[in-house]
Amino acid sequence: MSTATPQPSAPHVVLGSGPAGTALARELVRRGHPVRLVDRGAAGPEIEGVERVAADVGTADGARAAIRGAAVVYHCVNVAYHLQVEVMPRVQEAVLAAVEASGARLVVLDTLYPYGETGGAVMTEDSPWNATSRKGRMRAELDERYLAAHRSGRARVVLGRSADFVGPGVLNSSLGAAAFPGALTGGDVVAMGDIDLPHSYTGIEDVAAGLATLGERPEGDGRVWHLPTAPAISTREIHAMIEKRVGRPLNVVVLERPRPFGPFDERMMAEYEEMFYQHTEPQIMDSGAFERFFGVAPTPLADTVDATVTWYEAWLRSR
């Protein structure tokens, strides 16, 4: 690992400008950090205090250029569902090599996929990794490599796992464009599986705050953390919150099995079939370890729902 020490004014570099990366960039600016936000096209609205940079971090040259001079690198890159198993290992290889050469710390946004089917057991950082799906096994293998890189001294790495996203700017989620536009316009609200099961949802602002905290607190390095997540409730209860906020009953269409509907096209649902167990057994994530260690509490889900409805109202007006 490089012995180079980034200067205090060195940027915090966010790789990936999806909902998580964008929310994180804003949170880091709010905390006073210079921020570089990287994606393949440097596209998107201007964010005060954020430098947008184009780079392909799936290549060695692109990753090195993207993180040059960084103090902390946040890996929030994601790709189309059908490309994940092929592309994400390449991104990992390039990013790990780049941080090894630069000496920057690496904060990785992760999913619950490595746990696989739990039978409804509460997921903590000590839960076994029993994934049997292609995407779950891939994520588990990547995570093992990240942690091995840290143990060997190759790089300084920490992982933050999130449940399903919900919040302003979140489109491609079961509580994103599948739910809120229909709720606001009287159209269909799409849900999956058994909506009476408890299900953890992580607010996108809590994802950002959690990752930024990991970036500022190196004493958490070398392990997996569950990002701050409000207590699990059923999707039906979330729908009731949305109904109260929009002032109308929802027209909920429940997909009891994976099939194309609404924003979920045939290719997406074919790829998602192996992960559909997340909607047929309880998905309960416990973030208590993070909350106690770092002193960070999750946003109440009712507040997240309110903020999300407000964001979607503006989003619909702009279309």
Side-chain angles (χ1 to χ4, degrees):
M1 184 171 67
S2 170
T3 57
T5 302
Q7 297 303 306
S9 59
H12 284 229
V13 175
V14 180
L15 308 179
S17 63
T22 299
L24 173 58
R26 291 194 174 101
E27 175 67 13
L28 291 167
V29 168
R30 189 187 69 78
R31 295 179 181 217
H33 299 291
V35 177
R36 183 186 307 155
L37 181 58
V38 181
D39 66 18
R40 290 172 66 97
E46 181 178 344
I47 303 172
E48 185 175 356
V50 174
E51 175 194 15
R52 285 189 178 270
V53 172
D56 180 358
V57 299
T59 67
D61 289 345
R64 283 195 301 269
I67 75 167
R68 185 173 293 117
V72 184
V73 175
Y74 302 84
H75 178 0
C76 300
V77 176
N78 207 353
V79 298
Y81 221 58
H82 65 286
L83 298 176
Q84 288 187 2
V85 172
E86 174 190 354
V87 174
M88 294 304 286
R90 294 207 306 262
V91 174
Q92 179 191 55
E93 182 178 2
V95 170
L96 266 180
V99 296
E100 177 183 9
S102 73
R105 292 177 54 242
L106 177 62
V107 179
V108 180
L109 174 58
D110 196 20
T111 73
L112 300 180
Y113 289 10
Y115 298 126
E117 298 181 52
T118 66
V122 176
M123 288 172 274
T124 73
E125 291 89 339
D126 295 324
S127 296
W129 299 8
N130 290 329
T132 57
S133 66
R134 290 169 60 246
K135 284 178 278 294
R137 290 196 304 269
M138 177 269 292
R139 292 282 184 176
E141 289 167 4
L142 295 187
D143 291 355
E144 290 284 9
R145 291 176 200 151
Y146 284 125
L147 296 174
H150 183 90
R151 288 192 300 268
S152 69
R154 178 184 171 193
R156 293 171 294 167
V157 186
V158 62
L159 284 73
R161 285 186 178 155
S162 169
D164 288 347
F165 292 167
V166 59
V170 175
L171 293 171
N172 297 320
S173 167
S174 59
L175 277 183
F180 288 92
L184 286 162
T185 63
D188 292 334
V189 170
V190 185
M192 298 186 197
D194 186 343
I195 66 173
D196 290 308
L197 295 173
H199 194 107
S200 290
Y201 292 97
T202 307
I204 200 67
E205 304 299 338
D206 290 330
V207 172
L211 293 175
T213 298
L214 293 177
E216 293 179 335
R217 301 280 296 274
E219 65 268 32
D221 286 358
R223 57 164 289 179
V224 172
W225 294 95
H226 286 180
L227 298 174
T229 298
I233 63 175
S234 72
T235 302
R236 191 183 298 279
E237 290 174 281
I238 296 274
H239 288 166
M241 289 181 183
I242 298 172
E243 286 180 335
K244 181 177 180 181
R245 178 63 172 74
V246 302
R248 63 156 58 91
L250 304 187
N251 180 32
V252 179
V253 177
V254 178
L255 307 183
E256 296 180 352
R257 58 178 178 79
R259 62 183 176 89
F261 194 93
F264 304 124
D265 63 22
E266 185 172 0
R267 181 159 65 176
M268 162 64 192
M269 293 309 285
E271 281 290 331
Y272 195 64
E273 184 170 6
E274 66 175 1
M275 308 305 302
F276 204 74
Y277 68 83
Q278 295 178 110
H279 305 282
T280 59
E281 65 176 23
Q283 285 278 290
I284 307 171
M285 177 177 130
D286 183 339
S287 60
F290 189 106
E291 295 169 44
R292 291 187 295 272
F293 189 87
F294 295 108
V296 177
T299 305
L301 272 172
D303 293 349
T304 297
V305 167
D306 282 350
T308 307
V309 169
T310 298
W311 184 88
Y312 268 96
E313 287 171 338
W315 181 76
L316 286 170
R317 286 196 300 269
S318 71
R319 291 173 65 80

